[in-house]
Amino acid sequence: MELFDNLALGFSTAFLVQNVLYCFVGVLLGTAVGVLPGIGPTATVAMLLPITFSFEPVTALIMLAGIYYGAQYGGSTTAILINLPGESSAAVTALDGHEMARQGRAGAALAVAAVGSFIAGTVATVALAVAAPPLASVALRFGPADYFSLVLFGLVVSIALARGSTLKALAMIVLGVLLGTVGQDIYTGTPRFVFDQRELYGGIDFVSVAVGMFGVAEILRNLENEQTRATIVSKVTSLWPTGEERRRSVGPILRGTGLGAALGVLPGGGHVLASFTSYAVEKRISKRPREFGHGAIEGVAGPESANNAAAQTSFIPLLTLGLPAHPVMALMVGAFIVHGITPGPNVITDEPALFWGLIASMWIGNVLLLLLNLPLIGIWVRMLRIPYQVLFPMIILFAAIGTYSLSLNAYDVYAIAFFGLLGYVLIKCGCEPAPLLLGFVLGPLLEENLRRALIISRGDPSVFLTRPISAVLLALALVALVITVLPTIKRRREVVFAGEE
C-alpha cells in the first residue's frame, strides 16, 4: 500500500500544469536532438542546464530527464529512414531498420520501435519505483569507507564500458578527478591548484566543463567531419505492422526490456551496451539468423526496447546512491546540487514529492513520446536539412548566454572555450570525454569519503578491508579491472563499440 501512496503523491506532483508542460518541452527537445546527428543528449542537457536553474527543482529535473529519454526515442527515426543514427545507442537499429525502409516497410519499423520503446519505458519505470526504496534504505547503512569503495567501483566499471582504449579511459578518469580537486580544500580551506586565479577558489564551474567538453567539442568535431544529409527519404505509407511482424516482435520487446533494465544501472555506456547485447541475443536465438542485416523486425524491436529500458533504469543508482551511471546522469547530479539537493538515499525521505514526481513524470513522458513520435516524422526529417553552419553557431551562442547568465561572469564563457578546445584535442587523440566528466563529478565525493574514513579510523587504511561492504566492492572493482584487460574481453569490447563509429 505504501508504494501506491507514494505513486499517488508522484502523479499529483507530475500532473501539475507546469510540470506536464516542461515534461512535454523536454521530450520534444529530446526527440529533436535524437534526430539530429552529432549533438546527442549529453551535449543538449549540458547546454540547456543553465536555463533550468530558475525553475523549481522538480520541474527542472523533469524537463532534463525528458530530454534524455526523448533522445533515445528520436535516435531511431533517422536511423530507420536514412541510415543515420542520431544517438549512439540507435546505431544498431539502423542495421535492420533502414533495410526495412528500403523494402517499403519503414512505417512498420517506426511503429514497432515506438511501441517497443513505450512498453520498455513503462516496465522500467515500474522497476525503478519498486527497486529504488529498498536500495535507498540499504544505502543509508553505508559508512564513508563503503561509499569510497562504491565510487571507486563505479569508476572502474565505467572504464570497462568506455569505448576505445582502456588505458586512455583510465587517464580520462584520473584527469577528471584532478580537475575536481581544483579550489579550496574541503577541510582546511587551503587553495589548491588555483594558480593565483581568484575565480578558481570556488572550484572549476561544472556547467562550463560540461558545455565545453560535450557541446563545443562535439560541434567542432562534427564541423570537421560534416556528414552529407541530403538523403532521399522513402515515403512512409502504412504505420501498422502486419500480423506476422507483430507476432515476431513480442518476444524481442520483452527480452530487450529485461536486458535494458538490467544493464541500464551499469556505469559507463549501459544503454549502448544494452542495445548491442539485445541485437546479439536476438540474432543468436532466431530461427532466421540470415535475415538479420536484411530487414529482420526483431533487429528493430529488441534493441529499441533495450536502450529505452536502460534509459529509465539508469536513474536507479542516481536516485538511491547519488552515483551517476553515465555523463547525462552526471549532469543530473549537477542539477540536483545547483538546486540545493544532495542526490542519494536521503532524497526519498527529504524530498518525497520530487523523488516520486520525477518517477511518475517518466511514464507521462513515455505516453507523450508515443503520441509525438509517429505523427511528427515529417518534421524530424525536415530538420536534417538545416545547414550545420546555421545550426551550430546558434547552439553555441545560446549555451554561452545561458552559462554567463548564472553568475554574470565572463570567466565562465572563457572556461567554455577552453574546455571546448581541450575536449576537441582529446577526441582527436582518441580519448573519450565521458569518463573525464564522471571523474570530475565523482572525484570530490571520492576524496571526501576517503578522508572522512581515514579520520574516523585515525589514519588506519585497513578500515577499507575490515568493513564487509567496502571489502566486497573493492574486490569487485579489482575483478572488473582484471577482466577488462584480458585479451578476449578487449576484443569483445572492440566489436560491441565498433558500431558507434
Side-chain angles (χ1 to χ4, degrees), residues 67-348:
I67 292 170
Y68 172 54
Y69 53 79
Q72 307 303 315
Y73 270 72
S76 64
T77 302
T78 44
I80 291 169
L81 293 179
I82 60 175
N83 199 26
L84 198 60
E87 216 277 321
S88 57
S89 56
V92 71
T93 306
L95 297 176
D96 284 282
H98 186 60
E99 285 298 316
M100 289 181 67
R102 292 179 63 184
Q103 297 165 16
R105 296 157 58 211
L110 289 165
V112 166
V115 172
S117 296
F118 172 75
I119 293 171
T122 301
V123 172
T125 302
V126 172
L128 172 59
V130 172
L135 275 175
S137 63
V138 170
L140 287 172
R141 302 173 191 167
F142 279 31
D146 304 322
Y147 256 112
F148 168 81
S149 301
L150 179 65
V151 173
L152 188 64
F153 172 65
L155 290 175
V156 170
V157 175
S158 71
I159 293 170
L161 294 180
R163 185 177 62 187
S165 164
T166 302
L167 187 61
K168 288 179 179 177
L170 178 60
M172 289 297 96
I173 289 279
V174 172
L175 179 58
V177 171
L178 288 175
L179 289 173
T181 63
V182 172
Q184 293 177 299
D185 185 278
I186 54 176
Y187 287 108
T188 66
T190 306
R192 304 181 299 186
F193 311 119
V194 297
F195 305 106
D196 293 325
Q197 296 295 313
R198 181 176 54 83
E199 289 86 355
L200 291 177
Y201 273 57
I204 298 174
D205 183 57
F206 170 78
V207 177
S208 298
V209 175
V211 173
M213 296 293 290
F214 288 95
V216 177
E218 283 294 316
I219 285 171
L220 291 174
R221 183 173 67 87
N222 281 283
L223 286 174
E224 183 188 49
N225 303 311
E226 183 173 346
Q227 293 168 296
T228 302
R229 296 182 293 170
T231 310
I232 297 173
V233 181
S234 304
K235 186 177 180 182
V236 180
T237 51
S238 172
L239 291 173
W240 194 247
T242 64
E244 173 71 8
E245 287 171 336
R246 292 198 297 273
R247 185 186 62 78
R248 288 172 57 181
S249 300
V250 173
I253 287 174
L254 296 177
R255 286 187 291 271
T257 300
L259 276 171
L263 295 174
V265 300
L266 294 178
H271 62 297
V272 179
L273 188 65
S275 58
F276 278 83
T277 303
S278 173
Y279 188 85
V281 167
E282 294 307 322
K283 187 174 182 180
R284 176 161 292 189
I285 67 174
S286 175
K287 296 177 182 177
R288 312 173 184 85
R290 292 187 179 181
E291 282 189 26
F292 282 77
H294 302 283
I297 192 72
E298 295 91 340
V300 175
E304 276 302 298
S305 302
N307 83 56
N308 280 277
Q312 311 286 333
T313 56
S314 62
F315 282 85
I316 290 177
L318 172 70
L319 293 174
T320 58
L321 303 171
L323 297 179
H326 49 74
V328 176
M329 292 300 109
L331 294 168
M332 296 290 285
V333 169
F336 270 98
I337 293 170
V338 165
H339 286 286
I341 300 167
T342 302
N346 288 318
V347 173
I348 194 170

Side-chain angles (χ1 to χ4, degrees), residues 42 55 67 76 79 122 137 165 168 183 204 262 289 354 383 428 437 447 452-453:
T42 307
F55 297 170
I67 292 170
S76 64
T122 301
S137 63
S165 164
K168 288 179 179 177
I204 298 174
L354 182 147
M383 287 178 60
K428 295 299 288 182
L437 188 66
E447 180 194 8
R452 188 181 294 172

